[in-house]
Amino acid sequence: MAGFTVPNSMKEIYDSGCDKHASTSGTDTHPFPCGKIGPHLLTGPIFVEGAEVGDVLQVEVLHVGVWTDWGWNSVRPGFGSLKYFDGGLETLGLDLEKQTIQMPWGGEIPWNITGTGPFFGQLGTAPPPDLGKVSSVAPGASYGGNIDNKQLGQGATLYLPVNVPGALFSAGDGHAVQGDGEVCVTALETSLVGDFRLTVRKDLGLKGQAHGTSWIPAGEARPTQIRAEIPTHFMTMAFHEDLDVAEVLALEDMLSWMQLVSGLEKEQLYRLCSLAADMHVTQVVNQQKGIHFMLPKAALETNKA
């Protein structure tokens, strides 16, 4: 598409990475590009002073901005929800002033078409050491990672477990727009800039157990699922290869969290969630499928007219 080009510096970074980490499998079927466990580009890890194992890292997304006037979307045979398309990579133009996407078949759509906006698909801390090296593809309840949740844009607050000293926070995988499900494996992938505020929450971690503020169940080393807030909603997230399992994990965690917030009984909250909460399929393409469960904060307001 006329009007923009891929910078040579980005091509050089990609090519050098492939040369250094060339696959030794002897085939073209290696599960990761260039034989690496990637494939995402991340900024980090960032050492957070004062973060200790057993704490919770509060990540406030203060600003997200689109940096380049292009992005890309890819379909590959054998991948995604529907595996029979021939596929290919499409490069799409971004109008930074109008905040729109130029579609390859003509026309344009706003990048808030889904009701959200640009966001980082990857937000995570270092995984627990006993997991060793992990791919950037599958998200995990113990560290976050490739969450791909369109709700985690500007104004969101994410809570992540701290598994190593300093937390080692990383962010990346910029998306200009993505629908729930991310069905063809990729969103509109692009370069973003972002501002974050990182706060160590010892009250929500192991040290909060003595005061009744901890999110960590007795006998566990960290919260069992990933939690977040946006201005209007509480949100829990869960990941599993089976969506039926993921939805139960996300629901159970919402009930546990809201017991601390509201003082209501678990069964009362279960009824409330059936009336007022929404369950979303975050993505179905990252090996571990995702559910995010959203409860309006207004549903817990006790003031009556």
Side-chain angles (χ1 to χ4, degrees):
M1 181 176 282
F4 57 88
T5 59
V6 179
N8 286 331
S9 58
M10 296 186 71
K11 291 181 179 179
E12 290 169 3
I13 291 171
Y14 180 81
D15 291 341
S16 65
C18 287
D19 290 342
K20 182 185 293 186
H21 301 281
S23 174
T24 57
S25 65
T27 71
D28 294 327
T29 59
H30 196 283
F32 303 111
C34 312
K36 299 182 292 184
I37 63 171
H40 299 89
L41 295 174
L42 304 178
T43 297
I46 298 168
F47 186 95
V48 181
E49 196 71 37
E52 301 175 296
V53 176
D55 293 340
V56 170
L57 184 67
Q58 176 179 295
V59 180
E60 295 172 83
V61 185
L62 304 179
H63 170 72
V64 178
V66 178
W67 183 51
T68 55
D69 63 355
W70 63 278
W72 58 272
N73 175 265
S74 179
V75 173
R76 290 190 294 160
F79 292 85
S81 295
L82 304 178
K83 300 176 172 40
Y84 51 76
F85 289 107
D86 292 335
L89 187 144
E90 292 277 6
T91 305
L92 290 75
L94 294 169
D95 189 314
L96 302 185
E97 292 187 4
K98 294 170 60 180
Q99 299 189 356
T100 57
I101 302 158
Q102 300 159 20
M103 305 307 293
W105 47 82
E108 60 183 23
I109 61 173
W111 63 45
N112 66 351
I113 188 73
T114 64
T116 55
F119 70 98
F120 290 92
Q122 289 267 359
L123 297 165
T125 51
D130 60 346
L131 291 183
K133 292 181 179 180
V134 299
S135 166
S136 67
V137 174
S142 59
Y143 55 90
N146 196 25
I147 301 172
D148 278 343
N149 187 338
K150 69 180 186 182
Q151 297 291 341
L152 299 180
Q154 186 170 305
T157 301
L158 176 67
Y159 302 94
L160 295 167
V162 175
N163 303 298
V164 298
L168 302 184
F169 172 76
S170 297
D173 188 26
H175 295 161
V177 67
Q178 177 198 296
D180 282 341
E182 199 184 18
V183 293
C184 81
V185 180
T186 55
L188 183 53
E189 313 289 326
T190 193
S191 296
L192 302 180
V193 293
D195 295 321
F196 302 89
R197 180 186 294 123
L198 306 179
T199 305
V200 179
R201 295 294 303 270
K202 295 187 180 295
D203 58 319
L204 304 180
L206 288 173
K207 293 185 177 179
Q209 289 182 331
H211 307 287
T213 60
S214 176
W215 288 355
I216 302 178
E220 299 290 337
R222 61 188 65 86
T224 56
Q225 307 302 330
I226 303 295
R227 296 174 178 176
E229 295 181 60
I230 60 175
T232 56
H233 287 74
F234 297 104
M235 181 163 45
T236 55
M237 288 160 276
F239 319 105
H240 198 275
E241 60 186 15
D242 186 336
L243 279 174
D244 288 340
V245 175
E247 63 96 354
V248 170
L249 293 172
L251 173 57
E252 285 277 12
D253 196 50
M254 179 65 77
L255 300 183
S256 297
W257 186 11
M258 292 303 103
Q259 281 185 283
L260 290 174
V261 170
S262 69
L264 294 175
E265 297 295 329
K266 188 173 183 178
E267 185 176 317
Q268 294 173 319
L269 289 164
Y270 184 40
R271 296 179 190 274
L272 177 63
C273 285
S274 193
L275 300 179
D278 287 314
M279 183 175 291
H280 300 260
V281 177
T282 318
Q283 53 74 27
V284 293
V285 294
N286 293 343
Q287 299 174 0
Q288 298 290 308
K289 300 178 178 69
I291 291 286
H292 60 281
F293 192 64
M294 300 178 65
L295 177 67
K297 293 179 178 179
L300 295 174
E301 293 177 358
T302 57
N303 294 333
K304 296 181 180 180

